[in-house]
Amino acid sequence: QNELLVKADQKINQLQMSNDQLKQTINQEVSNLIDRANKVIHQFKGALDREFNANMEKVGEETKKTIEELENIKSKANERFTSYYNRKKWIDYLIWGYMAATPILFIIVIWLLIKG
């Protein structure tokens, strides 16, 4: 019976040692996997940052182009408005002249008809 207990203790010790070795191996493998995963994540993050920065530059350039185009459109519209306003002013002057000249011409025609 003592011999069985000694063999059982030896078996228990062997199993504990095997368990400890297995735990150590598993911990090493997990540590290796974590390291590799962190490396992959770091590489992915770098690639993502590069792509993000490149796209942000493109967006910035496109935004500048769009703003310049809008400023150009705005200036052209302002020029057209100013041109139209100046044209309108001259047309107003011509209308006022016509309105002033019409009664004078009417009086001259009437006077020529009466005199003649």
Side-chain angles (χ1 to χ4, degrees), residues 56-114:
M56 284 304 291
E57 287 178 18
K58 287 179 186 175
V59 167
E61 290 170 5
E62 290 297 321
T63 301
K64 284 181 185 178
K65 286 179 186 177
T66 303
I67 289 173
E68 289 172 0
E69 289 174 5
L70 289 175
E71 288 294 329
N72 191 16
I73 290 170
K74 180 182 170 185
S75 67
K76 285 181 181 178
N78 193 21
E79 289 171 6
R80 281 196 310 261
F81 171 76
T82 304
S83 172
Y84 173 77
Y85 182 73
N86 288 337
R87 212 174 341 170
K88 184 178 179 282
K89 194 182 333 178
W90 281 104
I91 291 172
D92 287 347
Y93 291 149
L94 290 173
I95 290 172
W96 280 102
Y98 176 74
M99 289 174 62
T102 301
I104 294 171
L105 290 175
F106 184 68
I107 291 172
I108 291 174
V109 169
I110 295 289
W111 184 68
L112 287 174
L113 287 177
I114 290 176

Side-chain angles (χ1 to χ4, degrees), residues 4-17:
L4 233 52
L5 283 172
V6 170
K7 281 186 179 182
D9 282 340
Q10 285 176 353
K11 201 62 156 164
I12 288 173
N13 286 337
Q14 282 178 350
L15 287 173
Q16 283 178 343
M17 286 177 26

